[in-house]
Amino acid sequence: MDDQRQHWGDAAKHGALASVIDPNDRRGMKNLYISNLRDDVLQRRLPSHNVSLLDFGCGSGNLSKALASRDRRITGIDITPELLELAVEQNDPETCKFVHYDGGVMPFADRSFDFAVTYVVLSHIVDNEQLLSTLTELHRTLKDQGEVLFIEQTRRQTTTTPDGIKKQRNVAEYVGLFERAGFEVASVEHVRKARFLPLYLIRYGLIGEAMFPLMRRLDSLFATLFPAPRTSYVDTLFALRKQRQSNG
Ligand SMILES: C[S@@+](CC[C@H](N)C(=O)[O-])C[C@H]1O[C@@H](n2cnc3c(N)ncnc32)[C@H](O)[C@@H]1O
């Protein structure tokens, strides 16, 4: 946990978006595209009526900002104070509030939220038993029949990055952990490939923002049609529902 807090605390100096996606993206176009795809995938699956939503591992609050609306009460929670400062700076306190915690018990009552969303946070909880207890916590804080949308990096074979900061699990491993925590897995979809060739053109400004909607559609289509090669990952959307008490 301390290594994660240190890693993300150091990353915060790169600013709200680069800190949580790619600090080496000098023009910022790649980060803009990836955050745009993330926001679109989640926005389209969330209801517009009055809901309470937990942004788990909210970081600098970019996703909360994109999902905020008059009818959504958003609460972001994260372990990294430096990122939470950026989240508070760039969000309206009327729609989003942000909470720091230590990665253990979340300071929320049972059945607080209708929905939980997360983007590339479970990948940073490298130990499976720690992940299971985090998932059990999330389960506790959701209302009965509450829904969860997780986007995580998956690989054909579970791989931990050499710096030990991220574990890209395979889909079956995630599904097993979700079920053990008491979730029903409603769907699994690949939404973005790490090696989507136009991403290089986006990065160098050769494909502009106006083309992002088309690129997003192509990206998701390729991710669905062509499974990730052995050497790279794919962003995978898991839709879960809380059905019963956790098995612990
Ligand atoms: C790749 S960033 C994603 C941030 C945010 N979800 C986004 O889309 O911009 C990973 C985030 O996970 C957070 N994190 C790591 N371990 C965590 C844990 N055990 N509980 C909650 N957040 C955690 C980090 O502080 C960081 O903000």
Side-chain angles (χ1 to χ4, degrees), residues 139-155:
H139 187 277
R140 178 187 70 74
T141 62
L142 274 180
K143 294 181 185 172
D144 294 338
Q145 296 296 314
E147 293 178 39
V148 179
L149 297 168
F150 290 140
I151 300 178
E152 290 298 329
Q153 297 178 352
T154 63
R155 281 194 186 242

Side-chain angles (χ1 to χ4, degrees), residues 109-116 135-150 178-179 181-186 239-246:
D110 295 358
R111 300 183 179 83
S112 294
F113 301 102
D114 298 299
F115 273 87
L135 291 169
T136 307
E137 257 305 275
L138 277 167
H139 187 277
R140 178 187 70 74
T141 62
L142 274 180
K143 294 181 185 172
D144 294 338
Q145 296 296 314
E147 293 178 39
V148 179
L149 297 168
F150 290 140
F178 296 151
E179 290 179 345
F183 290 103
E184 177 201 4
V185 179
L240 316 179
R241 189 169 296 117
K242 171 173 175 167
Q243 271 226 313
R244 57 185 165 78
Q245 285 310 305
S246 153

